[in-house]
Amino acid sequence: MINLIPKSTYSIQDHLKRKAVFLFFLMHLVSFAAIGQQQVQTLRGRVLDQQSKNGIADVSVSIAGTALGSITDNSGAFSIFNIPLGRITVQVSHIGYEPGQLQNIVMEAGKETLITIEMMERLDVTQDSVLVLAKKEKLTSRQMATVSAAEFNAEDTRRFAGSRNDIARMASNFAGVNSVNDGRNDIIIRGNSPLGLLWRLEGVDIPNPNHFGSLGATGGPVGMLNNNVIGQSAFYTGAFPAQFGNATAGVFDLNLRKGNNHKKEFTAQVGFNGLELGAEGPFSKKSKASYLIYYRYSIPGLISSLGLDVGTGAAIPAYQDISLKIDLPTKKAGQFSLFGMGGSSNIDFKGDLKDTSNFYNDPYSNLYNSSKMGVIGLKHTYFFNSSTSSIFTVAATGSQVITRQDSLDTDRIPHKNYREDGREWRYVASLVINKKFSAKDRLMAGVTADQLHYNYSDSIRDWQHGFIPFLQERNQTVLLRAYLQWQHRFNTKLTLNSGLYTQYLALNKKSSVDPRLGLRYAIRNNSALTLAYGGHSQIQSLMTYFHETLVNGGYIQTNKDLGFTKSHHLVAGWEHSRNNWKYKLEGYGQFLNNVPVERHASDWSALNIGAGYGAGLEDSLVNKGSGYNYGLELTAEKPFSKGYYVLGTLSLYDSKYKGSNDVQHNTVFNGSYLLNLLGGKEWRLNDMHTIAVDFKGVFAGGKRYTPIDVDASREAGSAIYEEARSFELKTKAYYRMDLKLSYRMNNKKFMQEFFVDFQNITNRKNVFSQWYDSRSEKIRTQHQLGFWPNFNYRIQF
């Protein structure tokens, strides 16, 4: 990944000069504020029934505090013109639906604002039911989720300091989510391995959507999905609904927004994530069809020319990606959507004894890595009537990772050590039926068939047996999945969400049936109690099934018969809102069983995979391991209003596991506690100019590690760990503070935005890892990133 780190040779004077240049540039931009006529923009959108997803006609849509408004047409569409720039609140009302308001909608020059609002049909017409959602901030559906769910959009991914416009890093601010690795965006949910996370795009399970990612992993140094194309999406951290399966920890349910079907618009952006260009608009003036496409390319050369290191020593990361969506509505045949994303990346690390900033590789080896990932899909949405609809999707996904590692001898001569060429791709067909029987009852049912293809050619040097293959397989199999989910509203206070998920893997004929159940009870109009249970199962990383073991001079696949890892979630919560503040308290327990462990007695467990690159290389595994997580989470939030926002999350948790030796240990992800404090303030200098300051502080328990037996390591010539003390020790607590300064200028036909995100402003030396240096026979400590600034400039027109 690219990390902007000031070179150690910089003097304090150089740093102050650069700071002065930035402040002068910011003051110069603010100084030419022009006083003219008030700038305005257009708001377009649709209002949908939250249960049936059909458009609602005759909804009154208005802008709070103004006389501006509109009435939706037969398809639920509306347009409101001449809205002053800035942040607005949208209010909706209809005689048959619960009213509400959508706050913090940003109106900017150069781009019309497009929104989708979902309304819940009233169960009755009493005064109490009118008030249930009167202060709801986000009028969207969380797919029948009862607990542990959060919604977000593109604006949320840009707001927080330290997020780098990365969806995964943005999610690390939510309660229960730990990401204390400055070099990667892996999501650790409630002490679980990040491999338990499911990524979905437009209803399709997708491979690791990160540059420089590895097969089977879910994170990486740089996010591949461009946040500029993100529509309303959701993130789940426990007991998630039945339409999500094959995951034990959490779900990213991502949707791409539609392009503007009335006006052509363009975006250009340059910053940490690279150089980006985007375009959207209608295909013609008469057509309601639209396109949306964004392309991005890395710019490490530009960063180096500014006198900043890219954070990987002498290595230069190169990557590019593209995201797109095309919407084709028809009068009678429904709506067709073509969506896709993809990218490639490569980087070479050359071992260097003097390169201390490179924590991706050791100084005694060369590492060459390249990766590719892609998704393309076609979705058809059809309404049989106002209460029944279907979504049929066909898609193809694929990923490839090529890695070469050479060890360097004392004369710095490379010797082959590891070779990987792994490819996975799948063809997907899914059908979802959504039926609204009444305001009280809604049913969803879905079935998905995945044809899984794989081609692995991995080998490693064994000092006793020479350079040997350990993963050689090319074949295909089928994964079948189905779910049924029912929502029943007993009254305006009590709601039941129930469901059943099942899956079958043809490779080894393993199957599972997982029940889901959730209850939500509204104590008052501004408080609620929640309780949910979820049974979840997940197949192993596909390559795990084909690892080979040397037996009697031949190689056999000893993992082929592995079953699914099982996870049982129980979550209870309390929610309350008052005076523009929201409070949430959740307690949870999670029991995991059927976890892969080694056949012989050892401390190894699949629950610890994901702490680094790769998905594990172990063979001879059986489903006899177990583990548990439990904890308490508190969230206090003031959503953006009156020019500022505040978010605080506290997580207290414990995470334990047992390997095949039946001894209980901490998992490598058991940090015990996590505190996030975020806030931001925005000032409108006039109709054209806005400045903002955002702050983030993270306080988390240190990283777990197993102590190294130095004497035994010296004798063996490599690291020997004290297995009986697995993950017993912790590094010093993780602490980081980020400060972000932003400036936005709205001209008549375009908007410019500039920010600088000062990350780790105290230059805290958080520990990245400890490793045994066999050459010096010492244990060395590698630290994470120090202070570095992240710049970004965006223009839309």
Side-chain angles (χ1 to χ4, degrees):
M1 61 170 283
I2 304 178
N3 295 304
L4 311 184
I5 309 175
K7 291 185 176 179
S8 58
T9 55
Y10 285 177
S11 66
I12 296 179
Q13 292 82 356
D14 289 333
H15 176 67
L16 292 177
K17 286 179 182 178
R18 284 165 173 76
K19 184 175 181 181
V21 169
F22 166 71
L23 293 175
F24 172 80
F25 177 66
L26 183 60
M27 293 174 63
H28 176 70
L29 287 175
V30 175
S31 67
F32 60 80
I35 301 177
Q37 64 178 6
Q38 188 177 47
Q39 303 296 318
V40 295
Q41 189 53 275
T42 299
L43 175 71
R44 302 186 192 275
R46 289 190 70 201
V47 180
L48 307 179
D49 183 294
Q50 189 180 86
Q51 295 168 296
S52 71
K53 308 302 180 182
N54 201 9
I56 308 174
D58 301 321
V59 176
S60 174
V61 184
S62 61
I63 309 301
T66 74
L68 301 173
S70 179
I71 302 295
T72 60
D73 63 18
N74 290 334
S75 68
F78 69 90
S79 298
I80 304 178
F81 305 95
N82 299 320
I83 303 173
L85 301 185
R87 297 181 184 270
I88 62 172
T89 295
V90 178
Q91 299 174 329
V92 291
S93 61
H94 187 283
I95 191 171
Y97 289 81
E98 296 171 349
Q101 62 183 21
L102 190 61
Q103 300 177 353
N104 193 34
I105 303 299
V106 181
M107 306 298 296
E108 298 174 330
K111 183 180 288 294
E112 295 181 344
T113 300
L114 309 177
I115 62 174
T116 299
I117 299 175
E118 297 185 356
M119 301 182 71
M120 180 68 75
E121 186 177 358
R122 291 181 182 171
L123 291 176
D124 52 55
V125 292
T126 64
Q127 183 65 18
D128 288 340
S129 68
V130 172
L131 296 176
V132 171
L133 293 181
K135 292 187 177 181
K136 184 174 176 63
E137 185 202 5
K138 291 184 176 179
L139 303 180
T140 54
S141 170
R142 295 185 301 191
Q143 303 294 326
M144 301 186 188
T146 306
V147 297
S148 306
E151 293 174 318
F152 63 92
N153 54 31
E155 174 67 16
D156 297 320
T157 65
R158 299 189 189 103
R159 180 181 304 163
F160 301 131
S163 293
R164 309 182 196 171
N165 290 337
D166 187 324
I167 296 167
R169 287 185 170 91
M170 176 275 301
S172 68
N173 298 304
F174 298 145
V177 182
N178 192 349
S179 182
V180 294
N181 185 340
D182 294 342
R184 291 175 59 89
N185 62 7
D186 297 275
I187 295 296
I188 300 166
I189 300 173
R190 295 176 171 174
N192 285 279
S193 164
L195 271 64
L197 175 69
L198 170 67
W199 286 94
R200 295 186 95 207
L201 180 67
E202 295 288 329
V204 175
D205 295 6
I206 63 174
N208 185 2
N210 293 282
H211 289 296
F212 309 105
S214 53
L215 292 181
T218 61
V222 181
M224 188 180 296
L225 187 58
N226 194 312
N227 71 323
N228 285 305
V229 304
I230 290 297
Q232 198 67 34
S233 303
F235 179 62
Y236 305 85
T237 57
F240 32 91
Q243 64 263 47
F244 306 118
N246 198 26
T248 55
V251 178
F252 259 117
D253 186 27
L254 304 174
N255 292 295
L256 303 180
R257 65 179 179 87
K258 296 179 181 179
N260 193 332
N261 62 359
H262 288 80
K263 179 184 176 182
K264 292 183 179 180
E265 297 172 338
F266 305 92
T267 299
Q269 181 169 292
V270 61
F272 165 82
N273 289 330
L275 175 65
E276 304 176 25
L277 299 173
E280 61 183 281
F283 284 98
S284 68
K285 293 182 179 180
K286 296 181 180 180
S287 173
K288 291 185 178 181
S290 66
Y291 63 87
L292 171 71
I293 183 168
Y294 272 74
Y295 173 77
R296 176 173 54 183
Y297 191 83
S298 63
I299 49 171
L302 176 59
I303 294 174
S304 299
S305 68
L306 295 176
L308 299 171
D309 196 342
V310 297
T312 53
I316 303 297
Y319 56 88
Q320 58 183 325
D321 53 64
I322 189 171
S323 302
L324 62 90
K325 185 175 185 180
I326 297 174
D327 278 282
L328 302 169
T330 67
K331 292 182 179 180
K332 296 183 179 181
Q335 177 167 313
F336 295 86
S337 297
L338 177 69
F339 60 92
M341 65 168 291
S344 62
S345 56
N346 64 84
I347 191 168
D348 297 339
F349 294 99
K350 299 292 184 67
D352 188 347
L353 295 172
K354 298 180 180 180
D355 187 0
T356 59
S357 64
N358 176 5
F359 54 74
Y360 294 94
N361 191 26
D362 65 68
Y364 305 118
S365 66
N366 294 335
L367 179 66
Y368 309 90
N369 176 266
S370 65
S371 61
K372 297 178 181 178
M373 178 269 186
V375 178
I376 188 71
L378 180 65
K379 177 191 295 186
H380 175 233
T381 303
Y382 183 79
F383 278 86
F384 298 94
N385 52 51
S386 61
S387 63
T388 307
S389 64
S390 67
I391 301 177
F392 179 67
T393 305
V394 291
T397 73
S399 57
Q400 178 184 20
V401 175
I402 298 177
T403 304
R404 294 185 295 122
Q405 184 186 36
D406 299 333
S407 60
L408 300 174
D409 60 24
T410 55
D411 296 322
R412 314 300 294 171
I413 297 175
H415 300 273
K416 293 181 180 180
N417 186 55
Y418 174 70
R419 294 292 185 269
E420 173 192 16
D421 185 353
R423 308 178 189 190
E424 296 177 351
W425 67 99
R426 69 171 68 185
Y427 302 107
V428 183
S430 71
L431 176 65
V432 176
I433 301 294
N434 183 43
K435 173 65 177 178
K436 176 184 176 181
F437 293 97
S438 66
K440 286 189 174 183
D441 292 286
R442 174 191 176 190
L443 184 71
M444 289 182 65
V447 59
T448 302
D450 298 71
Q451 188 179 53
L452 309 178
H453 296 255
Y454 41 87
N455 186 354
Y456 307 114
S457 179
D458 295 6
S459 53
I460 194 169
R461 186 186 186 96
D462 185 285
W463 296 108
Q464 293 181 343
H465 301 93
F467 206 79
I468 60 174
F470 70 92
L471 182 57
Q472 303 287 323
E473 182 73 18
R474 179 173 182 173
N475 213 324
Q476 66 183 51
T477 188
V478 174
L479 175 66
L480 300 177
R481 298 173 285 168
Y483 73 87
L484 187 68
Q485 187 156 293
W486 174 49
Q487 182 182 75
H488 177 69
R489 302 168 67 198
F490 293 95
N491 49 50
T492 58
K493 293 182 178 294
L494 183 62
T495 300
L496 168 71
N497 293 311
S498 59
L500 198 66
Y501 172 89
T502 182
Q503 63 182 7
Y504 170 79
L505 181 63
L507 176 70
N508 52 19
K509 299 181 180 180
K510 301 295 182 179
S511 62
S512 67
V513 178
D514 303 321
R516 317 285 169 88
L517 184 67
L519 283 170
R520 179 184 178 87
Y521 180 73
I523 305 173
R524 306 180 188 88
N525 294 331
N526 58 350
S527 298
L529 295 176
T530 56
L531 179 66
Y533 163 79
H536 307 279
S537 59
Q538 184 178 26
I539 69 173
Q540 310 307 321
S541 298
L542 201 54
M543 67 177 65
T544 302
Y545 294 100
F546 309 110
H547 286 165
E548 298 180 340
T549 304
L550 180 62
V551 178
N552 298 326
Y555 291 92
I556 61 174
Q557 296 173 343
T558 51
N559 294 343
K560 199 71 170 287
D561 200 44
L562 281 175
F564 303 150
T565 297
K566 303 283 188 176
S567 176
H568 303 271
H569 296 233
L570 184 63
V571 185
W574 168 78
E575 300 174 10
H576 179 73
S577 60
R578 183 177 182 182
N579 297 330
N580 291 325
W581 280 81
K582 295 181 177 181
Y583 306 93
K584 179 189 287 188
L585 180 67
E586 284 193 345
Y588 65 89
Q590 180 189 9
F591 175 71
L592 298 107
N593 66 319
N594 223 40
V595 178
V597 293
E598 294 181 309
R599 291 182 186 274
H600 65 276
S602 76
D603 69 318
W604 187 91
S605 170
L607 295 183
N608 296 311
I609 299 177
Y613 288 83
L617 304 176
E618 283 68 26
D619 55 22
S620 304
L621 301 179
V622 291
N623 294 100
K624 295 184 178 181
S626 64
Y628 68 81
N629 306 309
Y630 68 88
L632 191 66
E633 299 168 357
L634 174 64
T635 299
E637 178 184 13
K638 180 194 173 295
F640 199 107
S641 64
K642 298 181 180 179
Y644 73 99
Y645 72 91
V646 178
L647 174 63
T649 63
L650 173 64
S651 304
L652 305 174
Y653 63 99
D654 192 26
S655 179
K656 297 288 198 300
Y657 81 97
K658 287 184 178 180
S660 56
N661 58 7
D662 204 34
V663 177
Q664 182 171 279
H665 298 281
N666 293 293
T667 69
V668 68
F669 307 108
N670 189 12
S672 302
Y673 66 90
L674 174 66
L675 175 65
N676 286 316
L677 296 174
L678 300 94
K681 173 66 176 176
E682 186 176 278
W683 294 270
R684 289 192 66 190
L685 304 182
N686 53 39
D687 291 339
M688 293 178 61
H689 302 273
T690 301
I691 59 175
V693 176
D694 297 273
F695 167 82
K696 176 182 177 180
V698 183
F699 309 85
K703 298 180 68 174
R704 292 278 178 180
Y705 68 95
T706 301
I708 298 174
D709 187 326
V710 178
D711 292 336
S713 299
R714 287 173 178 169
E715 184 176 348
S718 61
I720 302 296
Y721 294 90
E722 299 182 35
E723 184 174 307
R725 302 176 63 193
S726 292
F727 309 117
E728 176 183 308
L729 304 182
K730 288 173 64 175
T731 64
K732 291 183 179 180
Y734 179 94
Y735 164 69
R736 197 176 104 178
M737 294 178 63
D738 303 326
L739 183 66
K740 179 181 175 183
L741 303 177
S742 305
Y743 166 74
R744 184 167 64 247
M745 180 180 69
N746 287 294
N747 277 355
K748 187 175 181 178
K749 295 184 178 181
F750 63 91
M751 185 280 296
Q752 298 181 84
E753 182 182 61
F754 175 84
F755 75 71
V756 58
D757 196 350
F758 297 104
Q759 302 195 1
N760 197 2
I761 57 177
T762 64
N763 200 31
R764 169 80 171 187
K765 300 298 184 182
N766 293 302
V767 175
F768 176 73
S769 67
Q770 290 188 329
W771 58 285
Y772 178 72
D773 186 345
S774 60
R775 308 297 175 93
S776 63
E777 298 185 338
K778 295 180 180 179
I779 296 177
R780 299 190 182 276
T781 299
Q782 179 65 58
H783 293 94
Q784 302 204 56
L785 302 180
F787 167 78
W788 60 276
N790 174 21
F791 298 91
N792 193 90
Y793 171 77
R794 180 165 64 103
I795 182 172
Q796 59 188 35
F797 53 95

